[in-house]
Amino acid sequence: MEKFRIYGERSEKPSQLELANRQLAQEAAAEGMVLLKNDGVLPLKEKEIALYGAGARLTVKGGSGSGDVRERYSVSIEEGLKNAGFTILSASWLERFTKEYEEDVRAFHERVEDAIKGYRVWQVMAMFQKIGEFKLAYPVGGRIEKEDIVSADTAVYVVARQAGEGDDRKIEGGDFLLSQAEIENIDICVKNYKHVVLVVNCGGILDISPVADKVSAVIYYGQAGEEGGNALGKLLCGEYNFSGKLADTWGRNYSDYPTAAFEQSEKLQEDYHEGIYVGYRWFEAKGVAPLYPFGFGLSYTTFESKFIKAECTGGRVSLTARVKNTGASAGKQVVQAYISRPNNKYFGEKKLLAAFNKTRKLFPGDEAELTLKFDLADCAVYDEARASFVLEEGDYPVYIGEDSASVIPCVLLRVKGERIVEKCKNLCVKKRGFKEISFDIKAEEAGALPIAEVGEIPAKEHSYNYTLPAVSSKVRKYLDGLSDEELAMFCMGGGYFTKRFNRVEGACGNTTSRLVKKGIPNIIMADGPAGVNILQKAAFTKSGYIRYVDELPKDWQWGWLKKVIPKLKFLFAKSKHTHVYQYCTAWPNATTIAQTWNVELASRVGLGIGKEMLKMGVTLWLAPALNIHRDPLCGRNFEYYSEDPLISGQMAAAVTRGVQSVGGVGVTIKHFACNNRENNRMEVSSNLSERALREIYLRGFRMACRENPMALMSSYNKINGVYAPNNRELLTDILRCEWGYNGLVMSDWDAVDKCSYIQAIKCGNNMIMPGRKDIYEKLVQAIAAGELTREEIKFSAAYALNAVFSAATSKGF
């Protein structure tokens, strides 16, 4: 390949897009943080404070693994408070913490270097696999000594946790539980300061029950991205107001969750005994009062919400509510609508989230009307005996309120006669014989309420004969003109170490570049759920060889690479080379975005991401991820939105709309499906009823697919014993035949190594990622042996070519 194309900025100065996205990231962080407790101390009146805790200076901006982002810089909580005008008096503790952590890092590096000293140049992949076995424990911080106590009324204590891809969290101190040192430090603060504000800097739920009742205020900071520190500073001083609401139920301890009762975290058979009872559904069915309910969040002001009317056309429901700011500060309010099913013929939950909306900023005394819309068919029960979604005859009470525990009934939706709203086939059926829990819950008497009768709802029916998707004349020409071997190149990714026409350093995937001379360029794929994850800066020679600017990327500086590469002067950029700068935004993580309950804001975040993709030459962003928070210990929950499928689906759909509105770039929704834990993720089987699968774990994906995402990624795990990339019922019968999805389906990276490459193509996993020579050879051999037909590889190639020629980077070809 003689020519190539590079993107990004040519100047290292921040672009207007980077500055605009940084401001938007701060807005999203501020709306996504949740005020869980406030005895009146917030907003802070005094500017002199004490600051302790690991997350004060070592703030976690996002998760590790594919969810990481190489941003220009992130603002720590300490920096954000200083920027907001606070004077931090507890410098001695913070300095001691920093020195202790630096010593821990030094010792960690020595251990790793000792373990990899025998690896040679040709063993680079094995060396990095060995490095990956080592984990640097996140610090909790040393004891607050007498000399660390300062003269201030208020102490802010920041508890921080890190989690990420490949490992689940643990029920131990310093992880899901507070460490004894943290509990003791918070107790010291409570004894020595008039007010203590606890800030939880963690991508998921943390058990704070030992201290929650002792402190003055609790803030769930989450993982708030590069501008999180500034957002918190402005919230604490009252420049911003809290408006975030929890997207998960916070139990008082881990034993409150269903996964504790059926804990199987090290087993290869993960039986979903709880069925549909996930999150608040479980807590309400069991009658367990959580520490903080789903949808909960406080504000500096107060609101009054009043139901106005309900309209029902067919099964489409529109609720109108009026919200008034009755307090003394400006703020935003979320109105949530829940619905109860009759639960006569079918077991069910007490209620489920049906719709939500958020007001604009309301000033004291200001009012606004909100409309909350939903389709009653989306609240139907999946009847496995009839393979149909069914609306049971009876009354469906609808409630509105400010969280799942504080709702009042407002209207009855009356269904006269049972309605089958969708006829399907039983697919991905549970094979193991474990018993699924059910509760006998009847809809509560709602009293005298207005009644809205539900009209006719046409039943959907599906054909399960899937045919080649519609393609352009250009794509058709290639499908007909390429050889079988050339078509097979599109059945997998382009690999890591191949020459590419479109170049984006640090991107984790691409399609083949071997057919550029025939007019087919490659497209680039990049992680991850909190932003576009690519290398910050690089340089290219005229021949297309990569050079590094200043130094080798820090996460590559290990072993022989660290020793040898800096001596190879030709590997570093000279002025005559083309310098490329790719500083992308580290956005708040998915859970924090969900906690904004602001669909329009999520769409604007998507738009900001799409603009960065366009500028950096990335066609497919490997996000959003919308697996359900089934277990608070899942190490990857920070990448996912919520325990509830509705808010997960709505947020993923909003981000998808935003990204793809740019044109020529697209999302890759993942991980399809039931990727709800990280331990043994490539061997575990997620075993569950088809009802739970369809009502909980697939519902969000279905909502996102309505936005026509450019791509979708199948997961590592099995579903009821069948690996996702080899699951035709999931990838073709449900995804394409029932949902009408027409985008590209790719595997997760190396996921198909655990099953069959041939079956992946046959079953609807169009592209095996990241792609390798040995996989290509196996595909070609299968074609020659008749195990793969030309029509089957044309199916996969059609989706790949559709994506390629839809890309902005393919313009001019």
Side-chain angles (χ1 to χ4, degrees):
M1 188 193 315
E2 297 180 355
K3 60 180 182 176
F4 62 98
R5 188 183 287 165
I6 54 179
Y7 300 85
E9 302 283 354
R10 298 299 183 267
S11 168
E12 194 168 12
K13 293 181 179 179
S15 67
Q16 289 302 309
L17 175 60
E18 183 182 347
L19 295 174
N21 277 357
R22 179 171 284 279
Q23 184 58 44
L24 180 57
Q26 184 181 131
E27 181 183 348
E31 284 209 28
M33 293 183 198
V34 185
L35 181 59
L36 297 174
K37 180 181 179 182
N38 185 17
D39 67 0
V41 63
L42 300 179
L44 294 176
K45 281 80 175 173
E46 301 295 329
K47 287 290 188 173
E48 292 187 338
I49 62 171
L51 179 64
Y52 307 102
R57 185 167 282 184
L58 198 64
T59 307
V60 182
K61 52 90 178 175
S64 61
S66 65
D68 200 2
V69 181
R70 297 178 175 98
E71 72 280 11
R72 188 182 295 270
Y73 67 91
S74 282
V75 180
S76 71
I77 288 175
E78 179 187 19
E79 292 167 332
L81 297 187
K82 288 180 178 178
N83 292 342
F86 289 98
T87 299
I88 296 169
L89 304 178
S90 53
S92 62
W93 189 93
L94 292 169
E95 289 301 320
R96 191 167 70 251
F97 166 81
T98 298
K99 289 178 181 178
E100 291 171 354
Y101 179 66
E102 288 173 349
E103 177 58 29
D104 289 344
V105 171
R106 186 195 62 77
F108 173 78
H109 277 259
E110 286 183 356
R111 290 196 303 273
V112 176
E113 289 290 351
D114 185 63
I116 63 175
K117 62 185 178 183
Y119 286 86
R120 300 293 181 252
V121 173
W122 58 88
Q123 297 173 302
V124 61
M125 294 302 291
M127 183 177 78
F128 276 99
Q129 287 173 354
K130 184 66 177 178
I131 293 168
E133 295 176 6
F134 289 81
K135 304 291 183 185
L136 177 61
Y138 207 81
V140 297
R143 180 181 174 86
I144 299 173
E145 304 294 348
K146 185 177 181 180
E147 59 268 24
D148 298 320
I149 303 300
V150 297
S151 180
D153 283 344
T154 302
V156 176
Y157 196 97
V158 187
V159 175
R161 297 289 187 271
Q162 180 59 287
E165 186 174 6
D167 193 22
D168 289 322
R169 297 171 63 195
K170 298 174 179 60
I171 311 171
E172 57 185 39
D175 197 336
F176 184 78
L177 305 178
L178 292 173
S179 69
Q180 191 58 39
E182 287 170 323
I183 294 172
E184 290 174 0
N185 274 348
I186 293 169
D187 283 342
I188 289 169
C189 288
V190 169
K191 291 176 183 176
N192 287 278
Y193 295 99
K194 185 177 180 181
H195 307 291
V196 178
V197 178
L198 176 64
V199 178
V200 180
N201 173 209
C202 179
I205 296 170
L206 193 64
D207 183 354
I208 60 170
S209 55
V211 299
D213 292 336
K214 302 176 184 178
V215 297
S216 306
V218 179
I219 297 166
Y220 182 39
Y221 179 97
Q223 292 174 341
E226 64 183 45
E227 276 291 309
N230 282 334
L232 181 64
K234 291 181 179 181
L235 285 164
L236 288 179
C237 70
E239 183 176 341
Y240 291 159
N241 195 348
F242 286 94
S243 65
K245 305 282 187 178
L246 290 178
D248 293 307
T249 307
W250 281 45
R252 293 188 177 276
N253 48 65
Y254 183 68
S255 62
D256 290 343
Y257 295 91
T259 44
F262 312 110
E263 206 278 319
Q264 302 163 291
S265 63
E266 298 302 324
K267 296 181 181 178
L268 298 184
Q269 300 294 336
E270 183 82 0
D271 298 335
Y272 289 29
H273 291 267
E274 75 281 359
I276 65 169
Y277 297 102
V278 179
Y280 65 90
R281 293 165 168 82
W282 171 265
F283 280 80
E284 292 182 346
K286 290 282 289 184
V288 175
L291 185 62
Y292 305 114
F294 174 79
F296 177 77
L298 301 174
S299 170
Y300 293 152
T301 190
T302 56
F303 297 94
E304 181 181 88
S305 299
K306 183 179 180 182
F307 170 73
I308 303 300
K309 63 179 179 178
E311 297 176 344
C312 186
T313 305
R316 298 187 181 278
V317 181
S318 177
L319 307 175
T320 302
R322 183 177 294 122
V323 181
K324 182 177 181 179
N325 185 340
T326 57
S329 302
K332 298 181 179 181
Q333 174 66 315
V334 176
V335 177
Q336 303 164 35
Y338 295 81
I339 189 169
S340 292
R341 300 187 275 207
N343 297 339
N344 290 321
K345 183 176 180 180
Y346 305 99
F347 67 86
E349 59 276 271
K350 280 195 171 184
K351 59 180 179 290
L352 61 147
L353 184 67
F356 60 90
N357 204 345
K358 191 169 190 175
T359 68
R360 57 177 169 80
K361 182 190 285 188
L362 299 178
F363 293 90
D366 201 359
E367 295 184 356
E369 282 197 356
L370 286 182
T371 302
L372 293 80
K373 295 182 178 181
F374 64 96
D375 192 331
L376 191 58
D378 289 336
C379 304
V381 173
Y382 186 75
D383 183 337
E384 294 178 10
R386 291 184 284 178
S388 296
F389 282 96
V390 179
L391 286 174
E392 189 177 2
E393 180 179 22
D395 289 341
Y396 292 69
V398 178
Y399 310 80
I400 65 167
E402 57 186 30
D403 60 63
S404 63
S406 305
V407 294
I408 57 172
C410 59
V411 66
L412 288 178
L413 302 178
R414 179 159 292 169
V415 175
K416 292 184 176 179
E418 181 185 78
R419 313 282 180 84
I420 293 179
V421 297
E422 186 175 359
K423 297 179 180 179
C424 306
K425 287 198 310 187
N426 282 333
L427 302 164
C428 303
V429 175
K430 178 167 74 77
K431 300 178 179 68
R432 283 170 60 82
F434 66 88
K435 185 177 180 181
E436 186 180 77
I437 280 189
S438 63
F439 293 91
D440 185 17
I441 299 171
K442 303 301 181 188
E444 296 177 359
E445 290 293 329
L449 293 174
I451 296 171
E453 293 195 0
V454 177
E456 291 299 317
I457 305 175
K460 296 179 182 176
E461 295 192 46
H462 306 290
S463 167
Y464 292 90
N465 296 317
Y466 194 72
T467 56
L468 193 68
V471 295
S472 67
S473 58
K474 187 173 186 176
V475 171
R476 174 60 64 183
K477 180 187 75 171
Y478 284 113
L479 290 176
D480 294 339
L482 293 175
S483 67
D484 290 352
E485 292 75 16
E486 288 170 328
L487 288 173
M489 295 177 189
F490 294 102
C491 294
M492 66 175 205
Y496 286 127
F497 304 112
T498 57
K499 283 191 174 182
R500 285 156 281 168
F501 173 77
N502 286 311
R503 301 285 299 273
V504 180
E505 287 308 306
C508 65
N510 61 100
T511 58
T512 183
S513 282
R514 292 172 62 185
L515 297 173
V516 169
K517 290 183 178 179
K518 289 198 172 185
I520 308 174
N522 68 298
I523 58 173
I524 298 293
M525 308 165 191
D527 281 326
V532 181
N533 188 1
I534 52 182
L535 207 60
Q536 290 178 329
K537 47 190 174 181
F540 296 88
T541 69
K542 289 183 179 180
S543 301
Y545 291 104
I546 182 71
R547 296 291 181 261
Y548 299 103
V549 180
D550 303 329
E551 63 177 356
L552 197 68
K554 291 189 184 301
D555 50 356
W556 297 2
Q557 294 181 22
W558 293 99
W560 64 265
L561 278 167
K562 182 179 180 180
K563 296 175 182 177
V564 174
I565 296 297
K567 298 176 182 179
L568 304 178
K569 301 298 184 183
F570 69 90
L571 285 178
F572 292 87
K574 298 178 181 179
S575 58
K576 64 181 179 180
H577 300 321
T578 302
H579 289 231
V580 175
Y581 300 96
Q582 304 175 141
Y583 291 101
C584 294
T585 309
W587 301 92
N589 71 335
T591 305
T592 305
I593 295 294
Q595 289 174 173
T596 69
W597 292 67
N598 189 333
V599 171
E600 184 271 337
L601 177 58
S603 185
R604 285 198 285 132
V605 169
L607 178 61
I609 292 166
K611 289 179 178 178
E612 284 187 349
M613 293 169 64
L614 194 65
K615 179 167 284 193
M616 303 304 173
V618 173
T619 295
L620 284 174
W621 182 45
L622 303 181
L626 64 154
N627 295 96
I628 294 296
H629 292 174
R630 173 180 178 251
D631 186 345
L633 298 183
C634 177
R636 220 161 170 180
N637 275 352
F638 71 94
E639 292 191 23
Y640 308 146
Y641 292 103
S642 172
E643 69 188 28
D644 183 79
L646 177 75
I647 193 168
S648 299
Q650 290 236 15
M651 289 298 168
V655 171
T656 298
R657 283 194 301 274
V659 170
Q660 298 191 168
S661 68
V662 173
V665 298
V667 305
T668 307
I669 61 172
K670 63 181 187 182
H671 308 87
F672 195 62
C674 300
N675 189 169
N676 302 117
R677 83 172 212 212
E678 286 297 290
N679 290 345
N680 299 316
R681 64 180 181 174
M682 297 186 79
E683 291 87 18
V684 70
S685 179
S686 299
N687 304 313
L688 69 170
S689 69
E690 190 170 359
R691 180 179 174 190
L693 176 69
R694 287 180 176 272
E695 291 187 25
I696 303 294
Y697 297 96
L698 296 187
R699 187 182 175 199
F701 283 101
R702 185 173 192 172
M703 294 173 67
C705 281
R706 291 169 184 164
E707 300 298 328
N708 300 311
M710 192 178 286
L712 175 144
M713 184 189 293
S714 60
S715 56
Y716 284 116
N717 55 288
K718 303 173 187 176
I719 297 99
N720 288 325
V722 181
Y723 274 110
N726 280 187
N727 196 323
R728 182 180 177 84
E729 292 185 341
L730 180 71
L731 300 183
T732 298
D733 292 343
I734 292 176
L735 182 63
R736 300 212 185 272
C737 298
E738 291 185 7
W739 299 357
Y741 178 65
N742 269 315
L744 172 69
V745 176
M746 69 178 74
S747 75
D748 208 333
W749 268 228
D750 299 319
V752 191
D753 290 352
K754 289 292 183 178
C755 45
S756 165
Y757 305 122
I758 312 307
Q759 285 303 311
I761 302 305
K762 285 178 171 288
C763 292
N765 194 109
N766 313 127
M767 188 174 286
I768 299 165
M769 294 302 298
R772 296 193 308 268
K773 182 180 178 181
D774 64 298
I775 298 174
Y776 175 72
E777 290 172 349
K778 287 182 173 67
L779 295 176
V780 171
Q781 291 168 8
I783 294 167
E787 297 173 30
L788 269 178
T789 68
R790 181 174 176 83
E791 284 304 306
E792 287 169 333
I793 58 174
K794 279 174 70 175
F795 257 69
S796 289
Y799 292 113
L801 287 167
N802 269 345
V804 167
F805 289 116
S806 297
T809 56
S810 296
K811 289 181 179 178
F813 263 80

